[in-house]
Amino acid sequence: MSTDAVPPRDSRTPGVRARNLRWWVRDYGYALAAQRRAAFGRSLPEGLTSGTGTPIVLLPGIYETWRFLEPLARVLHDRGHPVHAVTELGDNRRPIAEQARRLGSLLETRGLDDVVLVAHSKGGLIGKHLMAFSPLGDRVRAMVAVATPFGGSRYSRVMPTPSLRAFASGDATMRALSAAVEANARIVSIYGVFDPHIPEGSELAGARNVPLSTGGHFRVLADPRVVEEVVRVAE
């Protein structure tokens, strides 16, 4: 367990509310920049698959493509790691179990073994589903998950689409993932002190939990600790 000091989680004081609002604004600025990169980027993910290090597989969040994780992918590729994008996930709206099968298919088709999954938000649920319920989960050394709603999000109940309501803690897939505790030992969960999408937080019992001293759901991907934790398990 990380011993990093983090700001208090109590959001009732005016100072904490103002701080959270600033983080929220910056968070959506980061997300908009990432979506612009997804819309206008022309490089192909195949250009990142060279390297002799531990293979890395990217798992973006809902409504995200692999390009959301592209800056992180390029840092890891520059360190010698082959980085693979599961482009079959599309913008990741399909059910978790279905997307986990697509992930498993990529591992099998490309002959990838002893991989490290690098996931954001829903991507962490997809990765854990493979690790917990598929024989192909044995091909995964570890997963570094950033801002993943392992315990669900209470906001899901009022969301307008089934793909977002699937994150409710009472959903059958979410209950099954919560009960699959053995996989947690291979997971590093990284999260901010404030997440506007996951009020419950991303702490996961039995995992290596890494709380950051900043907040947000998207911008935390740029925190240097994310690369540090991937390097820790991959190198």
Side-chain angles (χ1 to χ4, degrees):
M1 178 181 296
S2 174
T3 58
D4 290 0
V6 296
R9 290 184 178 273
D10 189 346
S11 62
R12 292 172 293 184
T13 65
V16 171
R17 287 199 298 269
R19 179 205 65 189
N20 290 351
L21 179 60
R22 289 194 299 271
W23 279 338
W24 204 338
V25 170
R26 294 171 188 167
D27 206 39
Y28 281 98
Y30 183 94
L32 285 172
Q35 294 294 8
R36 283 197 299 270
R37 184 170 59 247
F40 300 108
R42 294 293 178 264
S43 59
L44 297 176
E46 288 76 15
L48 298 172
T49 58
S50 62
T52 58
T54 301
I56 307 292
V57 177
L58 306 177
L59 297 174
I62 191 168
Y63 302 130
E64 299 172 7
T65 69
W66 73 273
R67 288 194 185 280
F68 216 90
L69 299 171
E70 187 175 4
L72 182 58
R74 294 198 176 280
V75 171
L76 295 169
H77 183 253
D78 287 345
R79 294 185 65 93
H81 295 283
V83 180
H84 298 262
V86 192
T87 55
E88 293 80 5
L89 297 182
D91 62 359
N92 208 3
R93 299 190 213 186
R94 302 299 300 167
I96 292 166
E98 182 179 326
Q99 300 292 62
R101 288 193 291 272
R102 290 188 168 96
L103 167 60
S105 178
L106 177 132
L107 298 183
E108 194 167 36
T109 301
R110 298 193 183 182
L112 298 178
D113 201 1
D114 196 32
V115 306
V116 173
L117 306 177
V118 176
H120 177 234
S121 195
K122 179 184 177 179
L125 302 177
I126 295 168
K128 181 175 177 180
H129 196 285
L130 180 90
M131 294 163 71
F133 303 124
S134 170
L136 294 169
D138 291 341
R139 296 181 179 231
V140 177
R141 178 193 299 186
M143 176 172 69
V144 177
V146 183
T148 291
F150 288 112
S153 171
R154 68 180 71 118
Y155 297 151
S156 297
R157 296 193 297 270
V158 296
M159 289 294 105
T161 64
S163 56
L164 289 171
R165 289 195 296 272
F167 300 131
S169 58
D171 177 84
T173 298
M174 294 296 293
R175 291 200 309 270
L177 285 170
S178 180
V181 295
E182 290 185 4
N184 295 357
R186 289 187 285 154
I187 296 175
V188 179
S189 182
I190 304 177
Y191 46 88
V193 66
F194 162 75
D195 188 322
H197 293 265
I198 313 172
E200 293 84 353
S202 297
E203 186 171 348
L204 181 65
R208 173 176 165 77
N209 290 290
V210 182
L212 304 175
S213 59
T214 187
H217 185 73
F218 305 105
R219 197 170 61 95
V220 287
L221 284 167
D223 193 287
R225 288 295 300 275
V226 176
V227 171
E228 290 175 16
E229 292 300 328
V230 177
V231 168
R232 178 192 293 268
V233 297
E235 299 180 10

